[in-house]
Amino acid sequence: MTAGTTITNGTTAEHELAELQREHGRPLFALMLRLSDGDRHRAEDLVQETLVRAWQHPEALRADDFDSVRPWLLTVGRRLAIDARRARQARPAEVGDAVLENARVMADHAERSVATLDVREAVKTLTPEHREVLVQVYFQGASVAEAAEALGIPPGTVKSRAYYALRALRRVLPGYAADLH
C-alpha cells in the first residue's frame, strides 16, 4: 500500500488493511520475530498490534510524503516490541506449577512460636518440683542421673516427677498430646 489510501469514516477500509498485511506483513513479522527472541506467538501479537495502530491512525498511512508506509509500520512495531520487553522486565518472573512442586518447603516458624508460648504457659501451671525436673531433663537435656545429682533427689524420684509432669501437661495441652510421649 503506497499512495492513495482510502479513509472511510476516519478509519482505513478493511480490504486496504488486508492489502497492507499482504504487502508488508512478512518483513514486519521477520523484524518482530527477531525483536521477540524467536517467540513466534509474541511476534504475531506484535504484528497484529502494529496493524491495529495502522487502522487507528489512517492519517499516518497517507503516502503523499513518502514512497512506502513500511518504514512507519516497522518503526511502530519496533517501539511496541521495546515496550513489551520493558513491561516483561518490570514484572517479576512468572513461576510455573512444576517449579512450585519441586520447591523446598520451608518450616513455618509461626506455628513453632505459638507452640513454644503454649508450652511455656502450661509449664507455669506445674508444681515447682515437677517444673525443675522438666527443665533439667527436657529443656537442658540432662540425663536422669545428672538431673538427680543437680536437684539432690534420687533418680527414681526424677523419673516419677517427669512422668507426672508430662501427664499434667497432656491435660493442659490436649492438642499437643502426641508430642508429649
Side-chain angles (χ1 to χ4, degrees), residues 30-95:
L31 176 65
M32 296 304 104
L33 191 61
R34 265 197 332 259
L35 293 176
S36 60
D37 299 323
D39 185 342
R40 293 186 65 82
H41 296 291
R42 188 170 292 139
E44 289 170 358
D45 289 343
L46 290 169
V47 168
Q48 183 177 4
E49 182 62 28
T50 303
L51 292 174
V52 167
R53 298 288 171 94
W55 178 72
Q56 290 173 338
H57 300 282
E59 69 279 359
L61 300 178
R62 289 195 193 112
D64 299 338
D65 298 336
F66 43 88
D67 294 332
S68 174
V69 294
R70 186 175 291 176
W72 183 88
L73 290 171
L74 295 177
T75 301
V76 169
R78 185 178 62 80
R79 289 179 180 164
L80 288 170
I82 291 169
D83 290 346
R85 182 178 298 254
R86 285 179 182 160
R88 279 191 314 279
Q89 290 173 345
R91 285 192 311 244
E94 295 179 9
V95 177

Side-chain angles (χ1 to χ4, degrees), residues 7-155:
I7 299 175
T8 310
N9 296 331
T11 62
T12 306
E14 286 182 36
H15 70 279
E16 292 171 340
L17 280 177
E19 180 186 332
L20 187 70
Q21 183 172 7
R22 277 191 303 274
E23 190 175 332
H24 304 288
R26 285 182 189 241
L28 183 60
F29 179 74
L31 176 65
M32 296 304 104
L33 191 61
R34 265 197 332 259
L35 293 176
S36 60
D37 299 323
D39 185 342
R40 293 186 65 82
H41 296 291
R42 188 170 292 139
E44 289 170 358
D45 289 343
L46 290 169
V47 168
Q48 183 177 4
E49 182 62 28
T50 303
L51 292 174
V52 167
R53 298 288 171 94
W55 178 72
Q56 290 173 338
H57 300 282
E59 69 279 359
L61 300 178
R62 289 195 193 112
D64 299 338
D65 298 336
F66 43 88
D67 294 332
S68 174
V69 294
R70 186 175 291 176
W72 183 88
L73 290 171
L74 295 177
T75 301
V76 169
R78 185 178 62 80
R79 289 179 180 164
L80 288 170
I82 291 169
D83 290 346
R85 182 178 298 254
R86 285 179 182 160
R88 279 191 314 279
Q89 290 173 345
R91 285 192 311 244
E94 295 179 9
V95 177
D97 291 338
V99 173
L100 292 177
E101 289 173 3
N102 297 328
R104 202 173 111 221
V105 177
M106 302 301 285
D108 186 6
H109 299 291
E111 287 183 24
R112 186 173 181 174
S113 297
V114 169
T116 301
L117 291 174
D118 290 345
V119 170
R120 279 187 183 176
E121 291 302 313
V123 168
K124 288 179 185 177
T125 65
L126 299 174
T127 63
E129 294 82 16
H130 289 138
R131 190 173 30 242
E132 286 175 343
V133 169
L134 281 185
V135 167
Q136 285 291 318
V137 175
Y138 290 99
F139 298 123
Q140 293 181 353
S143 67
V144 172
E146 293 169 340
E149 186 179 324
L151 297 172
I153 57 176

